[in-house]
Amino acid sequence: MRKAAQYQLQLFWLALGFFSRLPIPSDTPYSEQRMNQAGRYFGLVGVLLGAICGLIFLFCTFLFPTSVAVLLTMAISLLLTGAFHEDGLTDMADGIGGGMTLERRLSIMKDSRIGTYGAATLVMALLAKFVLLNELALVSQLVVVIIVVYTLSRCVAASLIYDMPYVADLDSSKSKPLANRQSKADLAILIATGVLSSLLLTLGLAALLLVSAVVFRHLFKAWLIKRIGGFTGDCLGAAQQLMELLSYLLILAWFTHTL
C-alpha cells in the first residue's frame, strides 16, 4: 500500500514538473510509462495552481484595487506555468490559421516564431481573461472560481489524449505532450477530479460547467480531427486556454442573470 501511494505521488510530481515551474523532488523517477500515467493528475496540478493564484489574488486585494490584483495574479500565473498553455494556443492559432495543408500546419506549429494569427489570438485571450476576471471579482468568490476553472480546463485538455491520435513527430516536435497514451483509469481520474472540483460551486452552475465541458470537448475534438487529423501538444494547451475562457464567460453569465 505504501509503495502504491508513493508511486502515485511520484506521478503527481512528474505532472507538476511538466506543467509548472514549481520545484519537485530531484530524485523523482522518470520513464515513458510514468509520463503517460502522470497525465491523470493534470487536473490536480490545476487545483494547486488555482489555489496559489487564488491566495495571491486575495493578498493583493488588501494592497491594491481589484484590477491591479487581477493583473498581478495573471502575471504570477504566467510565471508559475511558464506561459506553457498560452504558448500552445499561440502556436495552434498560427499553424491552423496560416497553414493550407496538413504538413504546413504542423510545420508552423513547430516554429518558435509568432505570426499574426498567434499574436492576435494571444492578445485577445489575455485581454479577455483580464476583463472577465475583473467582472467576476465583482459578482462571485473569485478564489473558488479560479480553482474550479483551472482544474476543469486542465481535465478537459488532458482527456483529449484518450481517444485522439497524436499527429506530430515525437522526435522533432518542440511541444511534446505529457502523454500520448491514456488508459481508462487515467481518464476516470481526470473526470472525477473535474466533477469534484466543480462541486465547489452551486449545483446548477456546476452542472452548467460540466455540460459545457462535454460539449466543448466534442466540438474541439471534431474540429481538430478535421483540421489536422488528431492532436499535438500545442492543441492541448489551446484546449485548456479556450475551456478556461469559456468557463469564465459562463460563470459570469450565470451570476449576472441570477443575482
Side-chain angles (χ1 to χ4, degrees):
M1 180 66 71
R2 183 178 179 181
K3 286 186 176 180
Q6 184 180 30
Y7 182 79
Q8 296 304 314
L9 180 60
Q10 290 170 348
L11 294 183
F12 173 75
W13 291 138
L14 283 177
L16 183 64
F18 191 90
F19 285 114
S20 80
R21 297 296 177 86
L22 293 173
I24 64 172
S26 58
D27 61 346
T28 302
Y30 170 86
S31 69
E32 183 178 349
Q33 178 185 1
R34 285 173 180 256
M35 284 300 293
N36 276 291
Q37 292 178 323
R40 65 179 60 178
Y41 294 125
F42 191 10
L44 284 181
V45 172
V47 174
L48 178 58
L49 294 176
I52 292 173
C53 290
L55 291 174
I56 288 171
F57 173 76
L58 274 183
F59 175 76
C60 289
T61 55
F62 288 111
L63 302 174
F64 308 106
T66 299
S67 59
V68 177
V70 167
L71 180 64
L72 292 174
T73 301
M74 287 178 59
I76 295 299
S77 180
L78 289 171
L79 290 174
L80 286 173
T81 63
F84 188 75
H85 311 299
E86 290 80 4
D87 177 68
L89 177 64
T90 302
D91 287 338
M92 190 195 75
D94 271 334
I96 296 183
M100 296 297 105
T101 65
L102 172 60
E103 293 74 17
R104 184 58 180 157
R105 288 167 188 157
L106 294 178
S107 176
I108 293 174
M109 284 189 201
K110 296 174 186 177
D111 194 331
S112 59
R113 292 170 295 182
I114 298 178
T116 302
Y117 289 102
T121 301
L122 179 61
V123 169
M124 290 301 296
L126 292 175
L127 179 60
K129 197 175 298 185
F130 176 75
V131 172
L132 291 169
L133 289 174
N134 267 287
E135 294 296 325
L136 283 166
L138 300 176
V139 298
S140 68
Q141 294 181 316
L142 190 57
V143 175
V144 175
V145 169
I146 289 175
I147 293 173
V148 171
V149 174
Y150 271 42
T151 305
L152 182 61
S153 61
R154 284 162 171 79
C155 290
V156 171
S159 74
L160 291 168
I161 300 171
Y162 178 72
D163 55 0
M164 291 184 70
Y166 184 70
V167 296
D169 183 354
L170 285 172
D171 294 326
S172 63
S173 175
K174 71 178 180 63
S175 182
K176 298 179 182 179
L178 171 66
N180 51 59
R181 295 189 306 276
Q182 194 174 81
S183 68
K184 291 183 179 179
D186 298 331
L187 180 63
I189 291 173
L190 285 170
I191 293 174
T193 304
V195 171
L196 291 174
S197 68
S198 298
L199 295 178
L200 292 173
L201 303 170
T202 61
L203 188 60
L205 181 53
L208 174 64
L209 287 181
L210 292 173
V211 170
S212 70
V214 172
V215 173
F216 169 80
R217 184 188 185 279
H218 174 76
L219 294 177
F220 191 68
K221 173 188 170 183
W223 183 72
L224 287 178
I225 292 293
K226 181 178 180 180
R227 301 299 290 177
I228 61 174
F231 78 94
T232 69
D234 289 325
C235 296
L236 298 185
Q240 187 279 319
Q241 287 290 289
L242 293 174
M243 186 64 214
E244 182 178 342
L245 289 170
L246 174 61
S247 297
Y248 291 146
L249 275 171
L250 292 173
I251 295 171
L252 182 58
W254 175 275
F255 281 109
T256 299
H257 294 285
T258 56
L259 288 178

